[in-house]
Amino acid sequence: MNKDSGELKEYQPLLKDFKEPPQQIKVPSKSLLLAVWAAGIGGTFQYGYNISIINAPTKAVQNFINQTWTERYNTEISTQVLTLLWSTIVSIFTLGGLVGASVGGTLAIRFGRKGTLLFNNTFALLAAFFMGLSYPASSFELLIVGRFLTGVNAGIAICVQPLYIGEIAPRALRGAMAMGTSIFITGGILTGQVIGLNELLGKEAYWPILLSTICIPAIMQLLTLPWFPESPRYLLIDRGDDVACRKALMWFHGPDKYHGEKEDMETERISALGIKPKKPWELFTDTSLRWQLLTLFMIHTFQQLNGINAIYFYADYVFNQAGIPANKIPYATVGTGACECITALTCGLLIESLGRRALIIGGYTLMSVCCVCFTITLTFQESSPWVPYLSMVCVFAFILSFGLGPGGVTNILTTELFTQTDRAAAYMIGGSINWMAFFFIGMIFPFIVNGLKQYCFLVFLVICCLVATYIFFVVPETKNKTFLEIQNEFHSKKKLVAANGTEGPLLSTPM
């Protein structure tokens, strides 16, 4: 027996190599998936839903404004004033979003990630109340108030929801689970497009009900999210509550699988001892975060300025030129929303295998190619009957490229480039940049289109190429790394640059 036992020990390494089953693909637990759903349905889903829901009742709301004005002042409203009021109703959403993003990180530190998401539903419920009351009260001013509140709701949600999801996700699935942010945004856009069809709530008489439906996701979140724990990372590092953190980890990962995540959190907690969560302006004074902040500025600014808004602007024109009847174009538009939603799901499946860099660089590169092709097809749009169909292909290809790259990866990088004490402030900065760029492109875009026509896509071509080049040289791969490892990688690069005596581009790590 002893001899046999010794022989077995001698060959044990070889036997292990032959008998060990192949590694299975990790999947999140049901608790994690349900928590992501509960956070998303009243979070970034509202952002996407409120972007698209306002398109369907355009004519109906304008008629309501005209009717209300006539009843008040016994005269018809001028075209200029009507345009101004409608533009205010639409664009006030972005200003509300800027306000929400500016306070979202502070609320997340004070009330927790989950607590802030629950409190945020107050703005959605008030907005639904005001917009639903606007018609019986004959007050278009209530629409402006309601849209501002929806913007505040969306600004807080897009800041805090990625924080919550990124902090409850296990390291190996952090990218795939953080894609829930983009999936819910695109799902909200698609849902808004579908609900706005004439067969549902798109008829003129239903517009107050249509705009009030934003209360439904808010109520669903209020009923579901309280059943899930607060972010374990927030409980341990920000609150110092080890018992609550351990319970939350066991809830999300199971009693036998949470130890690795706990060790990562403990390491980060020790490194953050004595350091309070930073304010946004404190990040700008921290020279060790210079490259992370520059990256944050680049990816959030150019997520809005990369041409995706121009594609949606030209979509109706392209569909019309392709011979699609005007009353069928809304269904083709639903197709673009479905395309973006499917792409977000695909990105979620690929991000842990291909990595963040490959997807975002590849996405911007494909968008650059689409910009060239779309410029050519729009230039020769009327030269042949088949050219408009090539333009349709470019529309869907651009949306696919955006969803696979910047649309999906941007928020994940914001989570991963910063540690716990910096992350909430980073989301406040990133969210504010995003909303300001959103407002800027909304203001300047009509002038770009009117001045350059289809050649505006050459501007977007330059932007996409610049971002792809910057990410290639500066941003390391963050897949399956702890937040401290990512931070140390930036610090080591900074030391390398300083040692070389140059401030040129940083070398990227291998993909």
Side-chain angles (χ1 to χ4, degrees), residues 128-203:
F129 173 75
F130 286 131
M131 291 192 291
L133 189 64
S134 62
Y135 181 76
S138 297
S139 174
F140 52 79
E141 293 86 353
L142 290 178
L143 287 176
I144 298 175
V145 175
R147 284 289 292 176
F148 177 79
L149 291 173
T150 60
V152 175
N153 172 268
I156 294 174
I158 207 168
C159 176
V160 180
Q161 181 197 312
L163 270 177
Y164 182 70
I165 294 178
E167 291 178 3
I168 68 173
R171 190 206 315 175
L173 294 170
R174 194 168 58 222
M177 287 188 60
M179 276 303 301
T181 298
S182 297
I183 291 170
F184 278 101
I185 291 175
T186 55
I189 292 173
L190 177 60
T191 304
Q193 291 170 340
V194 172
I195 295 295
L197 294 174
N198 280 332
E199 288 81 358
L200 296 174
L201 295 178
K203 293 181 180 179

Side-chain angles (χ1 to χ4, degrees), residues 69-146:
W69 188 278
T70 303
E71 290 175 356
R72 285 185 191 176
Y73 306 109
N74 295 319
T75 180
E76 286 195 3
I77 191 171
S78 66
T79 304
Q80 292 82 359
V81 175
L82 178 61
T83 303
L84 176 62
L85 288 173
W86 173 247
S87 299
T88 302
I89 290 171
V90 174
S91 61
I92 199 73
F93 175 76
T94 60
L95 295 181
L98 179 59
V99 171
S102 301
V103 301
T106 303
L107 293 174
I109 293 170
R110 183 169 184 179
F111 301 109
R113 284 49 164 153
K114 181 182 120 176
T116 302
L117 287 172
L118 290 173
F119 170 74
N120 191 33
N121 291 296
T122 306
F123 297 106
L125 294 175
L126 285 174
F129 173 75
F130 286 131
M131 291 192 291
L133 189 64
S134 62
Y135 181 76
S138 297
S139 174
F140 52 79
E141 293 86 353
L142 290 178
L143 287 176
I144 298 175
V145 175

Side-chain angles (χ1 to χ4, degrees), residues 422-440:
D422 305 329
R423 194 174 298 119
Y427 263 102
M428 290 172 68
I429 295 171
S432 299
I433 291 171
N434 202 306
W435 284 102
M436 285 190 286
F438 192 178
F439 181 76
F440 174 78

Side-chain angles (χ1 to χ4, degrees), residues 1-10:
M1 283 293 291
N2 291 335
K3 182 180 178 182
D4 292 340
S5 177
E7 289 177 352
L8 285 173
K9 287 181 180 178
E10 183 180 352

Side-chain angles (χ1 to χ4, degrees), residues 379-449:
T379 302
F380 299 100
Q381 189 80 350
E382 298 179 358
S383 62
S384 176
W386 52 267
V387 176
Y389 293 97
L390 287 181
S391 297
M392 287 181 64
V393 172
C394 289
V395 168
F396 285 99
F398 194 96
I399 293 171
L400 284 168
S401 304
F402 174 79
L404 280 173
V409 182
T410 298
N411 278 316
I412 298 170
L413 285 177
T414 307
T415 299
E416 295 180 330
L417 295 183
F418 297 88
T419 55
Q420 187 75 12
T421 55
D422 305 329
R423 194 174 298 119
Y427 263 102
M428 290 172 68
I429 295 171
S432 299
I433 291 171
N434 202 306
W435 284 102
M436 285 190 286
F438 192 178
F439 181 76
F440 174 78
I441 195 67
M443 295 295 292
I444 200 175
F445 177 70
F447 298 100
I448 296 176
V449 174

Side-chain angles (χ1 to χ4, degrees), residues 27 378 453:
V27 295
L378 286 176
K453 304 297 182 184

